[in-house]
Structures are given as C-alpha cells and as structure tokens.
Amino acid sequence: RSDRPGALSAWKAAVRLDPKNALYLANQAVVEMSLGQNAQAAQDAQQASRLSADPSASARAQFVLGVASYRAKNYAAARSALASSALKSPSGETSLWLGLVSYALKDYGGAVTALQDSLKVQPSASTQLSLGSALISAGRYGDAEGTLRPLVVGARKRQRMRPPCS
C-alpha cells in the first residue's frame, strides 16, 4: 500500500522478535533505504550480511550496502557490494546500480555491460538513457545513436499526440 513508515515499523517489530533473522534485517534495511535513511540502512545491511548463511538474504543485504555506498559516493565499496549481490542473486536492479557505479568510476565498458544486462531483464527509459550516456563516454557513438534514437522518436510522437492547450 506504499506505507513505507508502516512497513518499517512492521520490520522493526519482526527484528525485535527475531534479531538473528538476516532476511528480516535485510528487508528492514531496504525500507530504510527507500525512506532515505542510508546510514541506518547500511548499518542494518552490514549486520544482516554477518548473520546470513541464506544467499537470498545475503544478496539483499549486499544490494542495500552497495546502493548506500553509492549514495555516499564510496564507489569502490559500492561496486564490491553490488558485485557480491549479483553473484548470489542476479537482477535487473542490481545490474542497473552496477552500471551507475561503473560509470561513476569512469569504467565505461563495465557500465555498458551492466546496463545492457539490466535492460534485458528490466527495460526502462531511464536505463536506456544511462546506457546511451555510457556508450557515448566509451566512444561508441553509432551504438549510442541506436540506443537513444527510440527515446527521442518516442518523445516526439508523444508530443505530437498532445491536444493543443486552450
């Protein structure tokens, strides 16, 4: 229901009842991150990582650590955590963040690969735009044009379809 504060309260209650449950702690960290509580999310994700033998909980915790590190501009730590998450449980979202981290580190080839992986699994215009930027930065202008053209053409079509203002 998009009640993030309510979800956070529920996860905190679950963690109080079972403080050694890494999945509960990792899910709490995800909600904290969505509320902009990056430092607390990182702390809870770190604790979940130490507790977990479950690959799913560990991947979730590593994902949160990676995103929190990215937001703190600690790109090397972000790449390490996100790569660890991707090894345990690959996802489009993890690949997207790996692409953003690689781009921030000026590893444009790595950014292109990660963003292409993300687009295959979870297509979005913003990921396509990020891929286009990475391709330009990598000097792959023809590939960038092919990636960005559908976004531009689609935007033009949407603009022509708007009714005139009265």
Side-chain angles (χ1 to χ4, degrees):
R1 299 180 321 199
S2 296
D3 177 13
R4 290 183 181 125
L8 182 57
S9 293
W11 284 118
K12 284 185 179 214
V15 169
R16 272 193 303 278
L17 293 171
D18 190 359
K20 302 246 188 241
N21 188 314
L23 188 57
Y24 291 175
L25 204 51
N27 286 334
Q28 177 178 304
V30 168
V31 177
E32 290 166 339
M33 188 174 62
S34 75
L35 290 168
Q37 300 171 7
N38 296 315
Q40 186 62 50
Q43 183 179 340
D44 288 341
Q46 189 73 33
Q47 185 178 350
S49 286
R50 286 192 297 268
L51 290 172
S52 184
D54 171 30
S56 173
S58 180
R60 198 158 180 79
Q62 290 297 309
F63 174 79
V64 171
L65 278 173
V67 173
S69 296
Y70 175 87
R71 289 178 176 169
K73 296 185 180 1
N74 186 350
Y75 301 127
R79 181 171 9 203
S80 176
L82 289 164
S84 174
S85 176
L87 284 174
K88 293 172 185 150
S89 180
S91 74
E93 190 173 19
T94 303
S95 293
L96 169 64
W97 284 97
L98 268 171
L100 297 174
V101 167
S102 296
Y103 190 90
L105 290 168
K106 298 185 183 342
D107 172 11
Y108 303 122
V112 166
T113 300
L115 292 166
Q116 286 172 332
D117 290 346
S118 180
L119 269 177
K120 286 177 194 167
V121 178
Q122 192 174 348
S124 78
S126 62
T127 302
Q128 194 170 350
L129 182 60
S130 295
L131 174 58
S133 295
L135 287 164
I136 290 169
S137 296
R140 295 173 53 187
Y141 305 114
D143 292 335
E145 181 182 2
T147 297
L148 295 172
R149 181 175 298 280
L151 293 174
V152 174
V153 170
R156 284 185 187 152
K157 284 181 182 175
R158 284 189 300 278
Q159 199 157 39
R160 277 186 290 215
M161 292 171 38
R162 287 187 190 158
C165 298
S166 26

